[in-house]
Amino acid sequence: LCADDRNVLVIVYLAELYLSEGRLARAEEYALRALEYNVRNLDARQVLAVVYRKRNEAKAANAQIAAAL
């Protein structure tokens, strides 16, 4: 893994951690940051889909799922 790959892994891990704590805004922030490095990051898209689903933002959640496919 190069430095950028490791950075993305850490960023996604933080997004997942914030999500598990119910800190949806921070989870979204870090997931979006991970996507800045790699738009195909499935873990970041999964975090976003869950965040949006928990906020009852079905259209945004579905967009993340579609982007992951």
Side-chain angles (χ1 to χ4, degrees), residues 3-51:
D4 283 345
D5 291 337
R6 286 192 300 269
N7 289 344
V8 172
L9 289 174
V10 171
I11 292 168
V12 171
Y13 175 77
L14 287 170
E16 292 170 343
L17 181 64
Y18 285 126
L19 179 62
S20 73
E21 294 176 346
R23 297 173 68 184
L24 301 182
R26 293 293 277 181
E28 179 185 27
E29 175 187 340
Y30 278 85
L32 290 171
R33 190 179 298 179
L35 290 178
E36 290 176 9
Y37 287 96
N38 179 2
V39 296
R40 293 183 172 195
N41 189 303
L42 298 179
D43 294 324
R45 294 214 178 267
Q46 180 180 9
V47 168
L48 287 173
V50 173
V51 166

Side-chain angles (χ1 to χ4, degrees), residues 44-67:
R45 294 214 178 267
Q46 180 180 9
V47 168
L48 287 173
V50 173
V51 166
Y52 297 143
R53 187 186 50 130
K54 286 181 176 271
R55 289 184 184 162
N56 294 317
E57 298 174 18
K59 188 178 262 188
N62 289 338
Q64 292 303 318
I65 293 167

